[in-house]
Amino acid sequence: MVGVLVPYIRAKLDRLYEEESIRQRARQALADDARDASWRAFYARAFVRAYPWCVAAHEGSRFAYQLLYLLGKTPYYLPGLHLLGLRVARTDPAAARAHAKAQAARRARRAAGGDALPAPLRLLCAATLRAGYLVADNARSALVLSVFAFKLLEWWYSAGERALGERKALEPPPPPPPLAPAPDGLALPEDTSLCPICSSKRVNPTLVATSGYAYCYVCIHKHVTERGCCPVTLEPAKLSDLWRLYPGM
């Protein structure tokens, strides 16, 4: 069970780490000065920072155990096996046959212990023991099949959710019309690739989210810091409203 659950949980944590890392990088790229102060964001940032160290510690402990096992310093091959008290050892066919014979003898003694019981109880005990032995002998195969069935259901459910979401997807609404320049604001240059503030080719184009106009990053950062508004529309703006534009956007 541990050998199945631990890799499964590790895969889920790896996927969560990748998603949170991408989400945080995107948030930092769009708004450097915006910082979510919610508890969820705090724990997400802590998880992204701590998880690589946890993975490094886990992998390092595995490597140390394997090295010590090869050097004969410990009978345990992995930290998880040490916690479970399981030792990895080689065996030969004779030892395997002896183990099977001893197991059969133990089961025979347990079955013989109910001979003094009445016939109905003896039959019930024998059936219970046989059922328990059947489960114990096939637990490994049953576990593998159950994990396979679980992953199949998970894939089926996720595929169904994606298909359902695609069918329900609506057309995006049209963008709102741009705000008109204010009478007291800066005039827009005829060339749309120029910055309205410095009248030069935009460097690191940055969009003001409250107005929709783009400027040089340095120009608009200084203007918003000093005046707190868009220079063209005079709409209020903060540093968190500055979005950097990249090719293709």
Side-chain angles (χ1 to χ4, degrees):
M1 182 68 71
V2 175
V4 174
L5 288 179
V6 172
Y8 177 76
I9 295 174
R10 171 70 183 277
K12 290 295 184 181
L13 290 177
D14 289 343
R15 182 177 178 181
L16 178 62
Y17 172 75
E18 293 179 1
E19 293 176 353
E20 289 295 336
S21 299
I22 294 174
R23 188 178 295 111
Q24 292 188 20
R25 286 197 297 268
R27 188 180 295 115
Q28 292 174 0
L30 293 177
D32 291 341
D33 299 294
R35 187 178 182 86
D36 192 351
S38 64
W39 283 104
R40 184 189 180 283
F42 172 78
Y43 286 121
R45 289 192 296 268
F47 172 74
V48 170
R49 293 178 181 177
Y51 185 69
W53 293 99
C54 296
V55 172
H58 178 255
E59 296 297 334
S61 64
R62 288 171 59 91
F63 175 75
Y65 264 84
Q66 292 173 4
L67 181 61
L68 293 175
Y69 179 80
L70 292 176
L71 296 177
K73 301 298 184 180
T74 178
Y76 302 103
Y77 184 68
L78 293 173
L81 298 179
H82 193 175
L83 293 176
L84 296 174
L86 299 178
R87 300 183 180 184
V88 178
R90 293 184 178 180
T91 185
D92 53 10
R97 288 193 296 269
H99 175 72
K101 185 176 180 180
Q103 185 182 48
R106 287 195 301 269
R107 293 182 177 181
R109 287 195 300 269
R110 292 174 183 173
D115 292 342
L117 298 175
L121 291 179
R122 186 167 62 251
L123 293 176
L124 179 61
C125 291
T128 304
L129 286 175
R130 283 196 297 269
Y133 295 151
L134 180 63
V135 172
D137 293 339
N138 298 278
R140 181 177 180 180
S141 300
L143 180 61
V144 173
L145 291 176
S146 62
V147 171
F148 176 77
F150 175 76
K151 296 299 292 183
L152 180 62
L153 290 176
E154 185 181 26
W155 169 81
W156 183 272
Y157 178 76
S158 61
E161 284 292 318
R162 287 195 300 268
L164 185 61
E166 292 174 358
R167 287 196 298 268
K168 289 186 176 180
L170 301 177
E171 292 293 332
L179 296 178
D184 298 333
L186 293 180
L188 291 174
E190 295 182 0
D191 188 352
T192 57
S193 64
L194 300 181
C195 173
I197 298 177
C198 65
S199 300
S200 301
K201 192 77 172 180
R202 283 194 296 264
V203 179
N204 291 332
T206 302
L207 178 75
V208 179
T210 57
S211 65
Y213 291 95
Y215 310 85
C216 297
Y217 177 77
V218 175
C219 297
I220 191 60
H221 189 281
K222 180 179 179 181
H223 185 89
V224 171
T225 301
E226 295 177 352
R227 303 186 182 182
C229 66
C230 172
V232 173
T233 63
L234 302 183
E235 288 289 328
K238 300 180 295 184
L239 293 179
S240 59
D241 297 324
L242 303 183
W243 292 5
R244 293 183 184 178
L245 299 178
Y246 297 92
M249 293 184 64

